[in-house]
Amino acid sequence: MLKKFIVAFIVLLFVLPAMAQTGGGSVYNFLNYSYSTRQMALGGGLISVHDEDPTLIILNPSSISDRHSNALALDFTNYFASTNYASALYSYTFPKAGSFAAELRYVGYGQFQGTDESGMETSNFTAGDYALTLGWGRELTPNFSIGANLKMIFCSYERYSSFGLAVDVAGSYYNPDKQLSLTLLAKNIGSELKTFAPGNFEKTPFDLQFALSQRLQHVPIRYHLSLHSLYRWNMNYYGSGNPFLETDVSTNQIVYPTKTKQFFDNFFRHIIFGLEIEPSQYFSLQLAYNHDVHQSMKVLARHSLAGFSYGFMINVRSIQFGFSRQHFAPGATPNCFNLAMNFDELSKLHQEKKAKKLTRN
């Protein structure tokens, strides 16, 4: 089964780049925000795990299963300036149809003062992004699962609006003996259906990602490797406008990094390194480093924590609370909060407690 997974991964590496549009910007970039404290604490990339955490299942639809049936997850993130975003997720497994999840996302950018062409103030207006995601997952074997998301996207900025559709497709492999999990995800394959400006169709933020996680056997640590932007190699910029390039004082010419240095910088921009420390089943710590964020957001002539993230999770009686922070730049450090619970597990715990009480009496 692992060999089949690797073959599928290689095929997708060649096929999906032809499907994706490259170059330039994209619309609906709020789809790439971290809507889970665990995801944010682990660097913001794809997370491949095989556990009961419901906050990650929309991120990786192939992880949607009966383990998350009747689970609810709520998220709130204090982002930059007056921008905040939130999500609500619910998952349920139907005996014949399979396991499903639905998530509603909202990003609010605050209130703005409108002006006319001459600069005179008019009425205030707001701006917001919305996405309703329907996810489905199925375990084909005890080791292999697949899943997909359908995303309905709506954006409203003053009198301008846009509507679009996108899908995610994922496959995961899990080895319980080695506690190893692998996931391949094609993310945000779609397009605008109604554009902000007539005839100006913009692309969705497509990405091809691969993630690996493994819990070590003799220490309470799980490591994560998340690879992103696999459909393109070049992620760095060494043009003359790069403020971090040095200048030769004698010739006044820009000194470009060596080819070797450029290669390794570009290579590590594709990788997010994360660690989870799990001293008990009730508590865990997460930390990560995202080299692409660090290189993109670092400050000239100053040490920066850009690219580093961390957080923790508390899980007591099937109620999960999480908190995380991610550093982008000085003063730009979002805080993320999660609350999740599984109603079936809570009901079982209540019945067990009730039965123990009756036994004692």
Side-chain angles (χ1 to χ4, degrees):
M1 187 60 67
L2 179 57
K3 291 181 179 179
K4 293 181 180 179
F5 184 84
I6 294 174
V7 170
F9 171 65
I10 295 173
V11 170
L12 284 174
L13 280 178
F14 285 96
V15 173
L16 285 173
M19 298 169 56
Q21 295 174 308
T22 59
S26 59
V27 73
Y28 310 143
N29 286 293
F30 75 98
L31 297 174
N32 290 328
Y33 293 173
S34 297
Y35 292 84
S36 162
T37 58
R38 196 174 180 188
Q39 181 194 13
M40 178 179 283
L42 291 171
L46 175 65
I47 306 299
S48 180
V49 291
H50 190 86
D51 59 21
E52 288 71 34
D53 183 3
T55 68
L56 298 177
I57 59 179
I58 288 294
L59 174 68
N60 173 16
S62 61
S63 68
I64 301 174
S65 72
D66 55 7
R67 299 189 306 275
H68 313 105
S69 184
N70 207 13
L72 174 70
L74 304 174
D75 162 271
F76 175 80
T77 300
N78 174 226
Y79 208 44
F80 306 134
S82 59
T83 299
N84 299 299
Y85 61 84
S87 70
L89 177 149
Y90 180 75
S91 177
Y92 194 81
T93 297
F94 298 92
K96 295 183 179 180
S99 299
F100 293 84
E103 182 194 58
L104 178 63
R105 296 180 176 182
Y106 165 70
V107 182
Y109 299 100
Q111 194 172 70
F112 301 86
Q113 175 63 58
T115 61
D116 59 20
E117 293 83 351
S118 62
M120 296 294 294
E121 293 185 355
T122 58
S123 60
N124 294 338
F125 66 93
T126 60
D129 295 324
Y130 308 82
L132 175 62
T133 301
L134 302 178
W136 167 84
R138 185 177 184 86
E139 292 186 349
L140 300 180
T141 72
N143 301 99
F144 188 71
S145 61
I146 58 173
N149 289 329
L150 172 64
K151 301 176 181 180
M152 292 161 279
I153 311 154
F154 176 73
C155 302
S156 176
Y157 308 149
E158 206 245 356
R159 66 179 181 273
Y160 303 98
S161 62
S162 171
F163 176 76
L165 292 175
V167 297
D168 304 334
V169 181
S172 290
Y173 168 82
Y174 176 64
N175 186 322
D177 296 328
K178 297 183 178 180
Q179 298 193 60
L180 172 69
S181 181
L182 309 173
T183 296
L184 176 65
L185 169 70
K187 182 179 180 181
N188 297 327
I189 306 170
S191 173
E192 280 186 292
L193 300 180
K194 177 185 180 298
T195 63
F196 290 105
N200 185 27
F201 286 88
E202 295 187 71
K203 59 191 177 186
T204 53
F206 171 83
D207 200 4
L208 180 61
Q209 302 179 346
F210 176 77
L212 176 153
S213 73
Q214 185 175 31
R215 196 179 194 280
L216 303 181
Q217 290 187 352
H218 304 295
V219 289
I221 293 177
R222 184 196 306 270
Y223 69 88
H224 298 266
L225 291 177
S226 180
L227 282 65
H228 60 93
S229 305
L230 294 177
Y231 66 98
R232 62 189 177 106
W233 166 248
N234 190 26
M235 294 185 63
N236 51 26
Y237 171 69
Y238 290 112
S240 59
N242 189 328
F244 294 97
L245 294 179
E246 298 179 359
T247 302
D248 190 315
V249 293
S250 60
T251 63
N252 201 32
Q253 296 293 317
I254 294 175
V255 180
Y256 292 94
T258 64
K259 295 294 184 181
T260 301
K261 187 174 181 180
Q262 291 186 36
F263 173 85
F264 282 104
D265 177 46
N266 205 26
F267 176 79
F268 285 108
R269 280 176 181 260
H270 288 270
I271 307 174
I272 302 172
F273 301 91
L275 282 179
E276 280 190 286
I277 304 171
E278 304 170 322
S280 77
Q281 60 179 324
Y282 306 108
F283 180 76
S284 63
L285 289 169
Q286 301 87 31
L287 61 152
Y289 173 69
N290 186 323
H291 185 67
D292 184 47
V293 172
H294 178 77
Q295 292 295 87
S296 301
M297 304 297 294
K298 65 183 180 181
V299 180
L300 186 64
R302 181 177 175 181
H303 292 294
S304 172
L305 289 175
F308 288 91
S309 55
Y310 46 86
F312 67 86
M313 285 184 4
I314 300 173
N315 193 341
V316 179
R317 295 184 178 274
S318 297
I319 298 177
Q320 174 186 306
F321 173 77
F323 169 78
S324 62
R325 301 189 75 184
Q326 187 171 15
H327 289 263
F328 289 95
T333 310
N335 299 309
C336 183
F337 304 86
N338 264 143
L339 177 65
M341 59 193 73
N342 188 301
F343 295 107
D344 285 348
E345 294 299 321
L346 287 173
S347 177
K348 289 179 183 178
L349 290 171
H350 177 72
Q351 295 297 329
E352 290 175 0
K353 185 177 180 181
K354 188 176 180 180
K356 289 180 180 180
K357 187 176 180 180
L358 292 173
T359 302
R360 286 196 301 266
N361 293 337

